[in-house]
Amino acid sequence: MKPQEIAALLDLGDSYLERYRGGKKIKKVMKNRTQINLFFEESTRTSTSFELAGKRLGADVINMVTSTSSIKKGETLIDTAMTLNAMRPSVLVIRHGSSGAAALLAQKVNCAVINAGDGRHEHPTQALLDALTIRRRKGRIQGLTVAICGDILHSRVARSNIHLLNAMGARVRVVAPPTLLPVAVDRLGVDVFHDMRSGLAGADIVMMLRLQTERMKGAFVPSTREYFHFYGLDAGKLAMAKPDAMIMHPGPMNRGVEIDTEVADDIDRSAIREQVETGVAIRMACLDALCRDLDAEEDD
Amino acid sequence: MAADRRVVYINARLIDPASGRDERGALLTVGGKIWDLGAALFADGITDGSEVVDCKGMCLTPGFIDMQVFLGESVDTTAKAAAAGGVTSIATMPNMNPVVDRASLVDYVERLAHDSGVRIHPIAAATKDLGGEEMTEIGLLRQAGALAFTDGRKAIADSQVMRRILTYAKAHDALVIQHAEDPMLAREGVMNEGEMATRLGLPGIPSIAEVIMIERDLRLVALTGCRYHVGLVTTAAAVDAVRKAKAAGLPVTCGTAPHYFALNELAVAEYRTFARTSPPLRTEEDRRAVVEGLADGTIDVIVSSHDPHDVESKRLPFDLAASGVIGLETLLPIMLELHHGGHVPLAHLLAALTSRPAGILGIPGGRLAKGERADLVLFNPDTPWRIDPEQFHSKAKNSPFEGRPVQGRIIRTILGGRTVYQAG
């Protein structure tokens, strides 16, 4: 996406946020439209956020959770896509454990497709909501230093944020042990740090990532204890960042693993709750923008 | 076919990579054998009532010998695909159901070839059920006709097992073929590790997984003296390792496939599952090293690694899709890209498909010489065309070369003196 397009989506998200915070009436731009949330992976917050966003815009929202553990999981994806397509929804929101799954689905259906996370590839609406959260707190994105910390290797949130923040003119750093960084990550336009204190030095935004517990038992890092010692965000490490640095986390948090409870709950510093609220607004913006495109097509 | 049937191929450009022959002339087959050939043959135009095929100056070479084919679909369509690709002999991988790990199955696979239009040379499993643990009956399998031993798509990973297989195979003068990929380093990986994999969010297979396995094996080869062949060499480091081993006099040979010298990892962009292969497509630097390895003779043979997969196993998210491409019908034109591009001389490329695989496998054929099998291929090295898998004889269509403009087309394929394919 181009910076202007991103900015337009953020503006739209901003206005939705103001409207429902202020209790104002929201135009039901998705009236008589069907939105299907197709989740092949468990997710409470993202699916709820998309569901709420659709409902606030007046859409009929259907949630489908399909386990990826079924034997022929890939076949399920294409077959399900074709079946759902025949039901003529306006928007399909998909989350899948395989990178590229949303793109594959988009080739097979006629409706709009939103990627709600595909494997370790991308999670675009998360990056958009993070950008909006940053912009609301800091007034801008351009020129800010953002340190993304933790499991970059397996994180689609990190990849989407790197692309978006770079496009918007932020300086992006990644901070992680070498075993949790993808090969050639510097080619994505980031500065790489293995030492968290130097990685956080002078940062405006500290973006923490979730580290799944099964990856900590000797596979990628030796132990939870060692990980928290070197890469857990606590008051001491946070002191290296700017005094007004903002803390973000896509959730769900592992308290005591990647983030100290005290820091996570610091109302002044932590934007973690706000991110959830912004998430609904930015997803409304995405749905709205896509439906405008659909309206234009249908008028033709 | 009458055993004394005489066919004369006139006006041919006779290319025999083994002897270096490259001349305009004629070739006479009687029954299933090459009776005579040369510039002087039938120079007076009198052909004694033989059947005459006018080659119109096109290349007549030994039929191609493809050392690595997976019989993933019916023998009939595979044989038709082979004939259409100029391939007269295929060595089949043991990855079948059931796995070719017993002497009776070697015999069964050989008999599949009967009247199919291609010769089939079975390669047997090196370990029972390709399990990587227990050695197969190498001696009995060898006697039954197995030309070589491999675990197919899997590396023989256990060092002790590999050492014993090489030690034992040496006593039976058997060839051991390795799928050179350290399975631990490759675990979870679905494409080449690097920037491309990072951008696509796909788990990578590091290129060192290949050379680590080869270098370990080379130590075991030095220890045992067994003949060892790397099925597919795909990285610069691996080409270099084999080059050094050859210089040191080890009994080592290796092969590669067209996709490793014609494509790089960028072919995977947009999650193209038809470009998912094992080993994975590598970097441009690796691709160039493979071309160089072919040019300087480090890489002995070119194989298609023909591996049919149906649409259902490829129309999936990338990490869930099957690995493998079909290649019998694109072997010649993709190989000729190196000739047309001036990277590798034609005779050199043809040797990698004829005399060299015959020599490594120890089978007849692969030469234009009196008394040899009349397995021949006639082709025009310049015909331009565009690859269209829908036109293939192979039932599976998983070609990574769809839509590619190429040069060089098979005109006729002859097996034992009998035409088994003729361009329409």
Side-chain angles (χ1 to χ4, degrees):
Chain A
M1 282 208 312
K2 293 190 188 109
Q4 303 93 311
E5 293 169 332
I6 295 169
L9 269 182
L10 297 184
D11 290 344
L12 193 55
D14 221 359
S15 73
Y16 274 122
L17 189 60
E18 293 300 332
R19 286 192 154 266
Y20 70 68
R21 265 195 188 167
K24 287 189 188 145
K25 209 176 152 198
I26 287 164
K27 200 178 162 202
K28 306 288 185 201
V29 294
M30 288 187 76
K31 196 163 188 287
N32 297 326
R33 290 204 177 274
T34 306
Q35 171 193 335
I36 302 180
N37 294 339
L38 181 57
F39 277 60
F40 290 87
E41 270 183 356
E42 294 270 330
S43 152
T44 333
R45 69 179 63 206
T46 307
S47 74
T48 311
S49 181
F50 269 109
E51 182 178 356
L52 197 54
K55 283 183 171 161
R56 280 186 180 157
L57 294 174
D60 298 318
V61 184
I62 296 166
N63 289 312
M64 293 187 60
V65 181
T66 311
S67 170
T68 23
S69 62
S70 59
I71 306 158
K72 299 223 163 183
K73 39 193 164 181
E75 233 168 286
T76 310
L77 173 66
I78 301 265
D79 290 348
T80 314
M82 301 308 271
T83 310
L84 294 179
N85 190 46
M87 295 175 187
R88 304 197 166 276
S90 299
V91 183
L92 264 179
V93 179
I94 177 180
R95 150 96 37 118
H96 196 282
S98 293
S99 300
L104 181 66
L105 187 94
Q107 289 168 16
K108 306 287 170 196
V109 298
N110 307 324
C111 61
V113 173
I114 297 181
N115 183 2
D118 64 326
R120 34 170 110 164
H121 179 227
E122 289 251 29
H123 191 354
T125 57
Q126 178 72 42
L128 285 165
L129 79 87
D130 287 340
L132 181 56
T133 310
I134 294 171
R135 206 180 70 170
R136 286 181 61 86
R137 278 266 186 122
K138 298 283 177 188
R140 66 191 167 107
I141 296 170
Q142 174 115 28
L144 295 179
T145 298
V146 183
I148 306 177
C149 312
D151 185 359
I152 312 286
L153 177 65
H154 299 97
S155 176
R156 52 192 170 216
V157 174
R159 276 177 186 68
S160 282
N161 264 307
I162 289 168
H163 294 318
L164 190 148
L165 292 168
N166 269 331
M168 300 306 281
R171 277 197 305 274
V172 185
R173 298 174 180 173
V174 293
V175 182
T179 47
L180 289 176
L181 283 169
V183 169
V185 68
D186 54 310
R187 301 276 300 160
L188 301 183
V190 296
D191 295 321
V192 180
F193 292 84
H194 301 312
D195 174 66
M196 195 161 178
R197 285 172 189 275
S198 44
L200 293 193
D204 296 285
I205 311 288
V206 180
M207 195 179 277
M208 300 304 298
L209 297 173
R210 175 181 166 76
L211 179 63
Q212 289 182 9
T213 39
E214 66 268 21
R215 293 187 176 132
M216 280 177 297
K217 293 169 188 158
F220 291 90
V221 290
S223 68
T224 311
R225 183 170 58 189
E226 175 148 339
Y227 186 77
F228 187 72
H229 180 75
F230 289 102
Y231 296 99
L233 185 66
D234 54 23
K237 296 193 194 86
L238 184 59
M240 298 300 293
K242 282 193 183 152
D244 63 344
M246 178 171 86
I247 303 161
M248 304 177 77
H249 193 299
M253 282 183 283
N254 290 316
R255 291 168 188 268
V257 176
E258 71 251 352
I259 192 161
D260 189 61
T261 290
E262 195 187 321
V263 175
D265 294 338
D266 180 346
I267 305 267
D268 298 329
R269 309 288 299 269
S270 166
I272 295 169
R273 299 253 163 68
E274 205 173 315
Q275 282 173 279
V276 179
E277 196 184 9
T278 321
V280 179
I282 207 73
R283 285 167 182 131
M284 289 169 78
C286 292
L287 290 165
D288 184 358
L290 285 171
C291 287
R292 286 183 202 187
D293 276 353
L294 292 172
D295 288 339
E297 273 175 36
E298 285 153 8
D299 289 345
D300 284 345
Chain B
M1 186 186 69
D4 58 352
R5 182 173 165 218
R6 297 159 62 91
V7 185
V8 184
Y9 300 86
I10 57 164
N11 296 324
R13 178 181 168 191
L14 301 166
I15 305 178
D16 179 41
S19 65
R21 181 199 294 269
D22 186 349
E23 62 180 1
R24 186 82 170 228
L27 182 144
L28 169 68
T29 66
V30 175
K33 301 276 187 200
I34 297 173
W35 192 264
D36 202 358
L37 75 161
L41 185 68
F42 304 113
D44 55 4
I46 302 164
T47 52
D48 299 340
S50 307
E51 198 179 322
V52 176
V53 175
D54 186 351
C55 298
K56 297 174 183 168
M58 295 302 142
C59 301
L60 188 66
T61 74
F64 302 152
I65 299 167
D66 187 341
M67 268 184 74
Q68 182 165 321
V69 171
F70 293 91
L71 273 181
E73 58 186 49
S74 78
V75 173
D76 183 51
T77 52
T78 306
K80 283 200 170 78
V87 176
T88 51
S89 289
I90 57 175
T92 53
M93 298 299 268
N95 306 65
M96 293 174 69
N97 188 11
V99 168
V100 183
D101 59 1
R102 274 165 293 164
S104 57
L105 291 166
V106 170
D107 188 46
Y108 168 73
V109 174
E110 274 183 331
R111 277 187 286 122
L112 286 175
H114 181 70
D115 256 5
S116 68
V118 71
R119 297 183 203 278
I120 297 183
H121 302 284
I123 294 172
T127 65
K128 282 173 192 161
D129 205 27
L130 304 173
E133 287 170 8
E134 293 170 68
M135 198 190 304
T136 52
E137 294 166 325
I138 289 175
L140 291 173
L141 285 158
R142 187 91 176 100
Q143 277 186 357
L147 294 179
F149 297 85
T150 183
D151 272 359
R153 298 186 182 95
K154 272 164 60 184
I156 304 163
D158 186 308
S159 308
Q160 180 70 285
V161 170
M162 186 57 163
R163 179 187 174 180
R164 290 200 177 124
I165 287 170
L166 290 169
T167 306
Y168 193 84
K170 162 77 174 163
H172 289 275
D173 189 32
L175 175 71
V176 175
I177 301 178
Q178 177 71 296
H179 178 79
E181 185 174 86
D182 182 316
M184 267 75 84
L185 280 169
R187 187 164 50 195
E188 290 181 354
V190 297
M191 72 169 290
N192 190 44
E193 184 179 276
E195 183 186 348
M196 192 71 188
T198 293
R199 284 187 185 277
L200 291 171
L202 291 172
I205 299 172
S207 69
I208 52 158
E210 182 166 298
V211 73
I212 283 177
M213 190 52 78
I214 293 173
E215 284 182 338
R216 179 207 69 174
D217 287 349
L218 290 173
R219 294 280 174 172
L220 296 172
V221 169
L223 186 73
T224 61
C226 185
R227 288 192 294 131
Y228 170 80
H229 179 83
V230 185
L232 295 167
V233 163
T234 70
T235 62
V239 173
D240 206 40
V242 173
R243 188 179 285 130
K244 285 183 182 139
K246 284 185 164 187
L250 293 179
V252 175
T253 52
C254 69
T256 197
H259 38 282
Y260 299 112
F261 58 76
L263 299 174
N264 63 28
E265 60 181 350
L266 297 180
V268 174
E270 289 166 13
Y271 303 97
R272 282 195 64 215
T273 57
F274 279 15
R276 180 165 178 194
T277 62
S278 175
L281 298 178
R282 305 291 190 182
T283 64
E284 177 60 12
E285 189 194 351
D286 290 316
R287 188 195 70 79
R288 284 166 192 263
V290 169
V291 173
E292 208 170 293
L294 280 165
D296 72 9
T298 300
I299 300 176
D300 301 87
V301 301
I302 297 172
V303 301
S304 68
S305 196
H306 184 81
D307 193 359
H309 289 286
D310 57 18
V311 175
E312 283 67 41
S313 55
K314 282 288 189 180
R315 240 183 35 178
L316 295 173
F318 195 88
D319 60 342
L320 305 176
S323 286
V325 298
I326 53 169
L328 281 167
E329 290 169 82
T330 50
L331 196 50
L332 175 80
I334 302 297
M335 180 190 87
L336 285 176
E337 289 182 355
L338 298 181
H339 156 64
H340 292 300
H343 302 293
V344 188
L346 181 59
H348 208 86
L349 289 168
L350 289 169
L353 272 176
T354 57
S355 53
R356 289 217 214 105
I360 292 168
L361 292 172
I363 56 173
R367 286 158 192 273
L368 293 187
K370 286 183 195 179
E372 280 286 350
R373 281 173 172 174
D375 291 357
L376 307 166
V377 57
L378 180 66
F379 65 87
N380 180 340
D382 300 315
T383 313
W385 59 295
R386 196 177 282 276
I387 292 174
D388 175 12
E390 289 308 312
Q391 306 293 322
F392 285 171
H393 294 77
S394 169
K395 202 167 145 236
K397 308 297 182 194
N398 52 304
S399 169
F401 297 115
E402 184 179 354
R404 191 177 178 101
V406 289
Q407 268 181 285
R409 200 141 205 194
I410 307 292
I411 299 167
R412 186 190 284 259
T413 306
I414 299 125
L415 185 79
R418 188 169 59 98
T419 295
V420 290
Y421 171 81
Q422 203 171 343

